[in-house]
Amino acid sequence: MDGVVVPPGQGRKLITKAQEVTFKVTGAQGGFASCFEVVVPPGFDVGAHVHQHSQEFFYVLDGELDLFAFEPTTQTPPRWQDWQSPNGDRPLRAGPGSCMFVPPGCPHAFTNPTTTPTRMLFQSYPPPDHEHYFEEIVEIFSTGNTIDPHAIQQLRDRYDINQLTPLHHTPPNPLNSHREVERGA
């Protein structure tokens, strides 16, 4: 059996209105986890969510993200950025070399609060669940300017995503400040 070598800039690329995702290693290649390189644009917030079965690992390569992975004392939508854990943990501004591991059942989120894109390595177990999620969300986002919240919710239900706060994308450009990819679920 051979391994997999993927040069920089290579891999299957999916581009949505809110993220650029490059598949690096997939379940079909024998990967123990799906591995992606993700470019997170300014203003993108994945929203707080939880997986009952999946595990995830995030590693910041370039740029900065706000990250959290803990059970908050109180879940007060819509802003997870204000949450705090019982022992005082709060979301963290994370730069290159920072990582976040998320076990099953742990609420978590990331956002790019800066004005420049952030690049991260993202691994998800078990494969190929997140591979299919990314493929299907591209289809939903490509259907037009209006996002069908029912289709998004069905997608989340299929792929073990319990959304706690809204996923949204509000670019920092004042001309685009009112454009959002999705609000609520």
Side-chain angles (χ1 to χ4, degrees):
M1 174 172 224
D2 293 334
V4 178
V5 176
V6 184
Q10 298 297 304
R12 182 172 166 226
K13 190 172 287 195
L14 299 178
I15 299 174
T16 71
K17 294 176 182 179
Q19 290 181 345
E20 180 180 302
V21 177
T22 304
F23 289 48
K24 293 296 189 175
V25 179
T26 66
Q29 295 166 311
F32 67 93
S34 300
C35 186
F36 311 94
E37 183 176 317
V38 179
V39 176
V40 183
F44 178 78
D45 181 348
V46 73
H49 59 282
V50 65
H51 310 285
Q52 294 307 312
H53 307 289
S54 300
Q55 299 179 49
E56 295 179 334
F57 177 77
F58 303 84
Y59 187 90
V60 179
L61 298 166
D62 298 309
E64 293 182 333
L65 295 174
D66 285 350
L67 305 172
F68 101 90
F70 55 77
E71 185 65 50
T73 53
T74 306
Q75 291 182 12
T76 52
R79 284 190 42 85
W80 59 265
Q81 291 86 343
D82 301 324
W83 292 1
Q84 184 172 332
S85 75
N87 63 358
D89 291 336
R90 299 186 66 77
L92 171 74
R93 176 69 49 94
S98 300
C99 68
M100 174 173 73
F101 170 69
V102 182
C106 178
H108 60 285
F110 65 86
T111 188
N112 181 351
T114 74
T115 57
T116 58
T118 295
R119 202 168 53 93
M120 72 174 172
L121 177 71
F122 168 56
Q123 292 183 317
S124 179
Y125 173 86
D129 292 358
H130 238 81
E131 297 165 34
H132 296 314
Y133 174 80
F134 283 136
E135 291 166 341
E136 291 183 38
I137 204 159
V138 165
E139 289 178 29
I140 292 171
F141 285 162
S142 68
T143 60
N145 291 333
T146 304
I147 302 303
D148 178 1
H150 182 68
I152 294 288
Q153 187 59 52
Q154 286 181 325
L155 179 67
R156 289 179 178 149
D157 291 345
R158 268 194 312 282
Y159 294 108
D160 186 32
I161 302 170
N162 178 16
Q163 201 74 26
L164 304 173
T165 66
L167 175 153
H168 60 92
H169 181 210
T170 308
N173 181 338
L175 298 175
N176 294 329
S177 65
H178 298 291
R179 189 186 115 227
E180 294 187 359
V181 172
E182 179 189 351
R183 261 286 183 212

